[in-house]
Amino acid sequence: MSVAAYCIFCYRQIGTSGPATKPHLPWNDIRKIAKVTGSLIVGGFVFITYEVLSLKKLLQIDTQAIHQEKLKSYVYVRTTSPNLSEYQGITYQARKEIHKAVRKILETEAKIFRRPFNEQFSTFDGEDHECALWLLLKRSQSEDKAVRLQAVQELVNKHWHDYQYGTVAQTCDQRTAIGLARSKDTDLRFFLPPPPLPKIKNDYPIEDELRLLLVSLPQTGLDPCVQYFTSLALRESSQTLAAQRGGLWCFGGNGLPYCETLSKIPSETVELFCLQALVQHSKVSSHCDKIEAKGGLQLLQRIYQLRKDSAKIQRNIIRIIGNMALDERLHSSIVRAGWVSVLAEVMKSPHVIQSSHASRALANLDRDTVHEKYPDGVYVLHPQYRSSQPIRADILFVHGLLGAAFKTWRQQDIDRRLDKKASEEEEDYSQCWPKTWLASDCPALRIISVEYDTHLSDWKAKCPVEAHRKSIAFRSNELLDKLRAAGIGDRPLVWVSHSMGGLLVKKMLVDASKNPEMGKIVNNTRGIIFYSVPHHGSQLAEYSINARYLLFPSVEVKELSKDSPALKELNDDFLSFAKDKKFSVLSFAETLPTHIGSMIKLHVVPLESANLGIGDLIPVDVNHLNICKPKKKDAFLYQHTLKFIQDVLAQELGD
């Protein structure tokens, strides 16, 4: 407007001027006008060019994004520079003001032409939270490990807009995504959902594909248990296929009305058989390569999404992923198949078994903060997330006969008939007291629980081949290798064991004392807690042997025979070096009989058998199953256990 007014003023002055002595041409005035308008045009052109280039730089997308999408991977967007000097001072303020001006122009244009204004563009005004997001994303890919970890933690701690979570999901690299998944209270919007899988036209695709995957894996030179599970799965799969086509379970063919129902019953069971076989294969590194090459990760993802109502199937699938994650070469394939978002979601499950399986898989994927590897059957109960709390010592829980890594260590079950306050206490019920109570009382501890299969009878053995595998000696060597891989022995250590698990602890310590490579485990052992451990045998073994035609007692039960030479030798070997090492020992003994079934009532481990000969022995008025299950957090059983741990680790835990 000022330029136009100036032009009119000049022309009026020229038109109204009187006669001059010399003819006067208006070129001087035109030259002045040209100078002003030219400078404005050039300045405006420079301004627009600068804005276009700035926005182009901010919005520039990596050309590899299309290729990555074809691979069902993430879309990578080029972020801004992490140099703090670019976001400070006059330059930063000028950029900020320019972007605000451009935004206002675009808003005005949208109003004039009645077009919707893209609200997302409003974030390009250089606001602090927007610059912080891109800066953190860049820092999360830094070569400096400390910078990376701090950036991931800040991403989790800050609250972002919904679209910004999507930006992180598309932009972050593999290492950052895993770090976010292992961060406590992380928002699931940080993760892209699993990539869509191609549809299959077959009527019974899952069983067929699982069977084909199993057949494609090596079948010779295998561990006998792997062969057993594979043959069992293929046999059951073949029977199911025959039933579905009419004949095996459909005694009259497809015409019978109940035939279709019977053919559907084994579908989930067969999947479970096949998955159990894949669990065994996934323990072999070379077989993991085959599973990945044959599209096994995508197939498992499909089954996982279809079987959301089956916790057992989903647990076996995550167990396979956890085993495959032991091989770092497969990490990128696992991430591309969308497993990080699945594991992050399962980590939030209230069910300790599900969340602990996911925690193991993510810990094996996280090479930034976890140096150890957790083989199959070794579970971290605490800390399951990344933490700035330094780990001072390890607590290792070993269950006994018919036990498990989680259910053995649950709070004592509440009897609603006797306890009027059962409904109130049920809210605070602990599915695994080491994970809840002990972790809160001693946060500087790493708490690990191990799992192995045990059976009273060979009738119910999961892998009935090679009975020697179920002996204490074999399990000792197998578990020692797993525990060393998990870093057991690198820190001060306290063992907590129940029943036969205590015999296994003693055997592992005896074997480790004879093996220089395992010496750290013995040297760093500070104390051992025994819950009703049959050091001198169990009445359960005597009963089972007498009723062998009914029970077919397993190897585990036979090894618990009273006055067994092997049991006596183990006890003598342990005592001989335990006294030299001056281990602190605490033993609890049951005083009440245990109901086994509806007809049998046994005092499984008598007081004299629970007496190791060193350390303290405390009788408790509970049965064999509840000796390791405190009623409450303030119960004597737990409080005495806690005090023992705090005393033997006083130097490491401090105040």
Side-chain angles (χ1 to χ4, degrees):
M1 293 294 291
S2 60
V3 175
Y6 180 75
C7 293
I8 294 171
F9 173 78
C10 291
Y11 279 112
R12 280 184 177 179
Q13 191 177 32
I14 294 170
T16 57
S17 59
T21 56
K22 292 183 181 179
H24 178 73
L25 295 177
W27 295 112
N28 291 332
D29 296 322
I30 294 174
R31 191 180 300 113
K32 292 179 182 179
I33 295 171
K35 286 181 181 180
V36 174
T37 55
S39 60
L40 289 174
I41 293 172
V42 172
F45 178 76
V46 171
F47 172 78
I48 294 172
T49 303
Y50 173 78
E51 281 304 310
V52 170
L53 292 176
S54 297
L55 293 177
K56 183 179 179 181
K57 182 180 178 181
L58 287 172
L59 298 174
Q60 191 171 1
I61 299 176
D62 197 328
T63 54
Q64 295 182 351
I66 298 175
H67 178 66
Q68 294 290 341
E69 179 61 23
K70 289 180 180 178
L71 295 175
K72 299 299 179 185
S73 183
Y74 299 124
V75 178
Y76 287 87
V77 181
R78 185 169 297 164
T79 59
T80 54
S81 172
N83 188 356
L84 290 173
S85 63
E86 290 190 19
Y87 302 100
Q88 299 173 352
I90 299 175
T91 304
Y92 169 65
Q93 294 298 330
R95 286 173 58 88
K96 188 173 180 179
E97 293 301 322
I98 290 172
H99 282 294
K100 284 183 178 179
V102 173
R103 184 182 66 181
K104 289 180 180 179
I105 293 173
L106 292 177
E107 286 177 345
T108 305
E109 181 189 26
K111 289 179 182 178
I112 293 173
F113 294 101
R114 296 182 180 180
R115 290 187 300 197
F117 175 64
N118 186 359
E119 291 294 337
Q120 183 169 335
F121 183 82
S122 65
T123 61
F124 287 113
D125 59 2
E127 292 293 345
D128 294 341
H129 73 280
E130 189 65 32
C131 290
L133 175 67
W134 291 105
L135 181 61
L136 288 175
L137 282 170
K138 191 66 178 179
R139 288 172 58 195
S140 69
Q141 301 176 27
S142 170
E143 294 299 322
D144 189 328
K145 179 180 174 181
V147 173
R148 290 199 305 269
L149 299 183
Q150 181 63 28
V152 171
Q153 190 58 49
E154 288 184 28
L155 279 171
V156 173
N157 292 340
K158 290 181 181 291
H159 177 73
W160 307 101
H161 296 299
D162 185 63
Y163 78 89
Q164 290 176 304
Y165 287 108
T167 299
V168 175
Q170 294 183 75
T171 310
C172 71
D173 60 0
Q174 170 182 308
R175 192 164 50 190
T176 304
I178 294 170
L180 290 169
R182 289 201 71 239
S183 299
K184 192 173 180 62
D185 299 325
T186 190
D187 195 302
L188 294 180
R189 289 176 291 177
F190 276 128
F191 311 100
L192 293 173
L197 301 172
K199 295 182 180 180
I200 302 178
K201 299 180 180 179
N202 300 335
D203 293 333
Y204 306 100
I206 300 300
E207 296 96 292
D208 288 348
E209 289 196 37
L210 278 173
R211 185 173 66 254
L212 290 174
L213 179 59
L214 282 175
V215 170
S216 69
L217 299 177
Q219 304 296 320
T220 57
L222 293 178
D223 178 282
C225 278
V226 179
Q227 287 182 327
Y228 170 78
F229 277 106
T230 303
S231 61
L232 178 64
L234 293 176
R235 185 180 73 226
E236 293 294 330
S237 179
S238 299
Q239 290 177 350
T240 304
L241 191 61
Q244 289 167 350
R245 292 172 180 172
L248 185 60
W249 284 305
C250 309
F251 302 99
N254 286 328
L256 293 178
Y258 56 84
C259 169
E260 185 178 353
T261 303
L262 285 175
S263 68
K264 287 181 180 178
I265 290 175
S267 176
E268 185 174 331
T269 304
V270 171
E271 290 176 23
L272 199 53
F273 274 121
C274 291
L275 290 172
Q276 287 174 344
L278 280 175
V279 166
Q280 302 302 319
H281 281 281
S282 66
K283 297 177 183 179
V284 185
S285 179
S286 60
H287 292 203
C288 290
D289 293 335
K290 295 284 186 182
I291 293 173
E292 189 272 335
K294 296 292 182 180
L297 290 169
Q298 289 74 20
L299 175 59
L300 293 174
Q301 185 71 257
R302 183 190 305 281
I303 300 172
Y304 187 91
Q305 300 301 332
L306 290 175
R307 294 297 185 186
K308 287 186 176 294
D309 58 337
S310 175
K312 201 168 186 180
I313 283 181
Q314 291 193 329
R315 190 161 60 243
N316 274 282
I317 291 175
I318 294 177
R319 187 177 171 188
I320 295 169
I321 301 301
N323 290 344
M324 295 181 69
L326 290 168
D327 189 344
E328 294 185 35
R329 297 173 302 152
L330 300 178
H331 285 189
S332 59
S333 298
I334 293 173
V335 173
R336 280 202 303 270
W339 282 107
V340 173
S341 61
V342 173
L343 296 174
E345 183 179 5
V346 179
M347 281 278 283
K348 294 179 177 292
S349 170
H351 303 290
V352 63
I353 301 179
Q354 304 293 96
S355 62
S356 296
H357 275 278
S359 172
R360 181 180 82 94
L362 282 171
N364 286 335
L365 287 170
D366 187 4
R367 296 297 91 195
D368 241 3
T369 61
V370 182
H371 304 294
E372 306 86 1
K373 292 187 177 181
Y374 298 100
D376 190 65
V378 180
Y379 301 97
V380 180
L381 301 180
H382 174 80
Q384 293 190 336
Y385 294 98
R386 284 185 174 183
S387 173
S388 58
Q389 171 75 55
I391 301 300
R392 305 296 186 188
D394 291 333
I395 306 291
L396 183 62
F397 286 81
V398 185
H399 67 79
L401 193 62
L402 298 183
F406 310 104
K407 71 176 184 179
T408 293
W409 312 107
R410 68 183 185 274
Q411 183 179 351
Q412 189 171 321
D413 297 332
I414 300 171
D415 191 341
R416 293 183 178 81
R417 296 171 300 176
L418 302 177
D419 194 346
K420 296 180 180 180
K421 297 182 179 180
S423 59
E424 298 177 7
E425 294 180 0
E426 196 169 18
E427 296 180 2
D428 299 325
Y429 179 82
S430 175
Q431 300 177 42
C432 184
W433 60 262
K435 183 179 184 296
T436 53
W437 300 348
L438 186 59
S440 65
D441 289 330
C442 302
L445 298 178
R446 181 178 64 152
I447 304 172
I448 293 179
S449 185
V450 299
E451 186 164 277
Y452 55 96
D453 294 328
T454 59
H455 301 277
L456 286 174
S457 168
D458 278 341
W459 273 0
K460 293 185 177 181
K462 289 185 179 179
C463 180
V465 297
E466 291 198 359
H468 78 276
R469 288 175 162 274
K470 294 174 283 184
S471 68
I472 292 176
F474 182 88
R475 285 204 173 102
S476 170
N477 291 324
E478 187 178 47
L479 270 179
L480 276 174
D481 291 336
K482 290 182 177 182
L483 294 177
R484 277 306 296 144
I488 293 295
D490 294 339
R491 305 182 185 91
L493 172 65
V494 175
W495 304 76
V496 183
S497 60
H498 174 238
S499 187
M500 193 189 80
L503 302 179
L504 185 54
V505 168
K506 292 197 300 183
K507 180 61 176 172
M508 283 191 286
L509 285 170
V510 168
D511 290 345
S513 67
K514 300 175 182 178
N515 184 350
E517 295 181 359
M518 300 291 177
K520 284 185 175 181
I521 293 180
V522 177
N523 296 332
N524 274 323
T525 294
R526 296 287 187 271
I528 310 170
I529 299 176
F530 295 112
Y531 290 108
S532 282
V533 174
H535 300 290
H536 308 289
S538 169
Q539 291 183 356
L540 178 64
E542 298 301 316
Y543 179 87
S544 299
I545 291 174
N546 293 332
R548 59 185 177 277
Y549 296 109
L550 175 65
L551 293 178
F552 284 96
S554 61
V555 172
E556 299 100 311
V557 171
K558 292 175 183 176
E559 286 189 324
L560 299 181
S561 300
K562 269 190 172 183
D563 301 321
S564 163
L567 216 56
K568 187 176 185 305
E569 181 183 1
L570 172 61
N571 203 53
D572 292 342
D573 289 345
F574 177 75
L575 288 176
S576 64
F577 87 93
K579 291 177 180 178
D580 293 337
K581 294 291 183 181
K582 297 181 180 180
F583 293 150
S584 297
V585 175
L586 175 63
S587 299
F588 293 99
E590 69 202 61
T591 60
L592 300 180
T594 303
H595 290 275
I596 301 176
S598 57
M599 304 293 293
I600 306 172
K601 192 176 182 181
L602 285 176
H603 200 152
V604 179
V605 180
L607 187 64
E608 59 272 16
S609 184
N611 187 3
L612 176 62
I614 59 174
D616 297 330
L617 176 65
I618 302 176
V620 185
D621 291 335
V622 291
N623 61 29
H624 186 70
L625 297 178
N626 289 333
I627 189 69
C628 57
K629 299 176 180 64
K631 278 188 176 181
K632 301 177 182 178
K633 188 175 181 180
D634 58 0
F636 169 81
L637 200 58
Y638 173 72
Q639 288 300 321
H640 214 73
T641 298
L642 175 63
K643 185 178 184 305
F644 176 84
I645 292 172
Q646 291 174 334
D647 287 345
V648 298
L649 296 175
Q651 184 177 351
E652 288 76 22
L653 297 180
D655 295 334

